Structures are given as structure tokens and as C-alpha cells.
Amino acid sequence: MRPCTRPRAAGATVRACSRRRCRSSNCSSCTWKAICATPSSGRNWCCRQQLAWREAGKGDIAVSINLSAIQLKSGGLVATLREVLREFPVTPGQIEFELTESILMDNVDDTIATLRAIKVLGFALSIDDFGTGYSSLNYLCRFPLDKLEIDMSFVQDIHGSPQNLAVTKTIIGLGHTLGLTVTAEGVESAADADVLRHAGCDELQGYYFARPMPQAHFMAWLAQSAAPYAA
């Protein structure tokens, strides 16, 4: 599970996973997503690792990668991703790039063009920490996004702040109206998860599910998490 604070890694490692589309506390069909905290060269590592998981019989585990402003503006990002797809027979729809609102709103027209080119390649896109930036709803409709991720600052006080709960529900409704999947960040308790499920949130991530872990521990953790549903 992705932690409430974003990890910074010196090397390419799987730091967390995210529970997806699970609306009940006992869901036999829930899936998990690996969230990679990697340097710019980590895209190849993530693809290689995803293939290794597939060959180990784990299926196509979705991978999420943080995309920086420098990478987005480099001018060579789309070409690099084409090379990655030529080198690795991965399913691009199972690889998601996360961007913050501030990155999206910087030089909007160029950003939209780049994101559309990334989408043509088949990759998924999400807006991270939504609700804390200054994105325009008009531009939000123009970005070729697949997902909104609600910032943890709203989630962590949904029990004590009616305003935060109202904002969270509003973001969930907005995302669904736009045809987007909605993820809540910073879920730390069963109570948090229950409130968010009842609000219709599609994905939950946070310490309630798991803390950051090295890739070497991920498979064992995944098997242990799936065991109750297989029994």
C-alpha cells in the first residue's frame, strides 16, 4: 500500500501497493497495484520487474510511477516510452504515470499534447494529490486522465471535519462524472476505509493496508494478503 508520505528512493524498488476497486471489507475480487519510487531511469526497471512477476505466475500487476516536471518537459519522454515498449512486451494499460496538479498546470497546452501522446501509446495517467493545487475545472476536462487521487490531507480528518468529508465526497462525485477512477490517499484505519467505501471511492491506499516495502518482500506480502480469499 502506498504510504501517507511519498517515499524517496535512491534506487529502483517497489515501495508499496494499492488496493483497487474494493468496496467491501471482505472482497474476494480486489486487486493490488505496485507503486514504484524510482529515479528517472526506473521506468525500465519497473517494466522488467512487471515481466518478472508475470513469468512468476502473478499475472499483470499494475505499476504506478511518479512523473516529474523535468521528465515531462524533457522533450524526449514520448520517444523514450516508445523505446521501452519496443524493448519490453508489457501491457501499457497496466502502467500508470502520476502527475501533480502543479505539473499539469505548467504550460498547459504543451502538457496536454504530451499527455495525449502518452495516452496514444496506451499508458494510464492520474492526477496525484488532487485538491491541493490550482487546477481549473475547464482544463481538467481537457487533460486525458484516467484517475483522480484525493490528497491525504482531506482523508486523514474526514471523521473530525465535516468540511473535509464534504470535499472528499465532492471530489469522488466530480471524478465519476468525468468518467475517472477515484483513489483516496492516506487511509490509515478501518474507519477511514469504511467511510470512503460508503462514499463510493473506487480505490484506497495507505498504511491501513501495508507500509512501504522492498521489492524482495513484495511477493511474500502479496501471497499472504491473497491467502484469506483463496481459502
Side-chain angles (χ1 to χ4, degrees):
M1 178 53 52
R2 185 175 181 174
C4 298
T5 54
R6 182 176 301 163
R8 301 295 181 187
T13 57
V14 171
R15 287 295 183 178
C17 69
S18 175
R19 198 170 193 177
R20 308 185 68 203
R21 297 183 178 85
C22 182
R23 299 194 185 210
S24 72
S25 57
N26 232 349
C27 176
S28 61
S29 62
C30 69
T31 57
W32 303 91
K33 178 181 67 178
I35 300 178
C36 298
T38 67
S40 58
S41 60
R43 290 184 295 269
N44 286 11
W45 181 90
C46 289
C47 292
R48 188 178 297 111
Q49 185 59 62
Q50 190 184 53
L51 290 177
W53 288 330
R54 182 195 297 171
E55 292 169 358
K58 304 301 181 181
D60 280 337
I61 296 177
V63 174
S64 182
I65 304 170
N66 293 317
L67 195 61
S68 72
I70 294 175
Q71 291 168 332
L72 188 64
K73 297 175 182 178
S74 67
L77 177 61
V78 175
T80 297
L81 294 178
R82 288 196 189 99
E83 288 296 325
V84 167
L85 291 179
R86 277 194 284 266
E87 183 175 356
F88 302 100
V90 296
T91 304
Q94 292 294 316
I95 299 174
E96 172 185 285
F97 291 103
E98 297 185 2
L99 307 95
T100 63
E101 286 181 82
S102 59
I103 293 175
L104 287 173
M105 294 306 298
D106 188 13
N107 201 349
V108 172
D109 289 337
D110 287 346
T111 296
I112 290 174
T114 300
L115 296 184
R116 285 176 176 169
I118 292 173
K119 284 291 294 179
V120 167
L121 295 177
F123 295 102
L125 296 168
S126 72
I127 180 169
D128 197 12
D129 301 335
F130 186 77
T132 60
Y134 303 96
S135 59
S136 161
L137 292 182
N138 178 49
Y139 283 124
L140 186 61
C141 295
R142 293 176 58 194
F143 290 124
L145 299 171
D146 300 283
K147 181 187 297 182
L148 295 182
E149 299 191 17
I150 305 172
D151 186 71
M152 69 184 73
S153 62
F154 298 111
V155 173
Q156 291 178 335
D157 198 25
I158 54 176
H159 306 289
S161 171
Q163 293 85 356
N164 278 11
L165 179 58
V167 170
T168 298
K169 289 181 176 179
T170 299
I171 295 174
I172 292 171
L174 172 64
H176 289 167
T177 299
L178 295 175
L180 305 176
T181 298
V182 181
T183 300
E185 301 176 330
V187 180
E188 295 192 347
S189 69
D192 291 346
D194 286 342
V195 169
L196 292 162
R197 289 187 187 110
H198 282 100
C201 195
D202 302 298
E203 300 181 359
L204 310 177
Q205 63 186 49
Y207 281 173
Y208 174 61
F209 299 102
R211 290 179 177 266
M213 67 190 75
Q215 188 276 142
H217 298 167
F218 179 64
M219 284 294 96
W221 176 88
L222 187 63
Q224 183 178 13
S225 298
Y229 305 125

